[in-house]
Amino acid sequence: MIKQTLKEWREEATKRFGKDANNWVFKCPHCGRINTVKEFTEAGADGSSSPYQECIGRYKKGYGCDWAAYGLFGNLGKGRVVVTPEGKEIEVFDFADKEDV
């Protein structure tokens, strides 16, 4: 599992998908569903929701599952660990591969 600082994680997301975070793409470690931040927001997720930690199925029925990386089993070892400036480690979904988008 990749472990990186928040700064490194953001830099990688920008390199992969561009500066507009709405275009960043994540993959659910449980069901494999791919979704963008924009799609997640359009599904009705509120400001406290995390497209990098929650499957879109939590907000849009029939689209993925209800997995959350902050749950008991985290990201199932298929995601990343982001280290905040305060030193807190947070499990997140992995980025989708370019060919998945």
Side-chain angles (χ1 to χ4, degrees):
M1 187 167 15
I2 296 172
K3 186 176 188 178
Q4 59 195 151
T5 66
L6 179 58
K7 182 179 186 283
E8 292 168 335
W9 181 80
R10 286 182 176 153
E11 287 171 351
E12 183 175 347
T14 299
K15 183 178 177 183
R16 285 173 173 256
F17 307 112
K19 290 182 181 181
D20 184 354
N22 283 314
N23 297 324
W24 294 3
V25 188
F26 301 95
K27 183 175 185 174
C28 176
H30 188 255
C31 73
R33 175 77 159 75
I34 306 284
N35 65 275
T36 64
V37 173
K38 181 180 180 184
E39 181 182 22
F40 194 85
T41 304
E42 289 172 348
D46 62 23
S48 66
S49 305
S50 306
Y52 51 86
Q53 282 190 298
E54 298 176 314
C55 188
I56 196 168
R58 295 175 76 88
Y59 301 94
K60 191 171 184 180
K61 298 271 186 221
Y63 289 83
C65 64
D66 65 353
W67 197 261
Y70 50 78
L72 179 62
F73 298 107
N75 60 30
L76 298 171
K78 299 177 186 177
R80 295 169 183 244
V81 174
V82 174
V83 183
T84 69
E86 301 77 33
K88 183 177 180 181
E89 295 187 0
I90 301 170
E91 288 193 44
V92 298
F93 292 178
D94 206 354
F95 297 116
D97 294 324
K98 290 256 185 206
E99 52 272 2
D100 290 333
V101 180

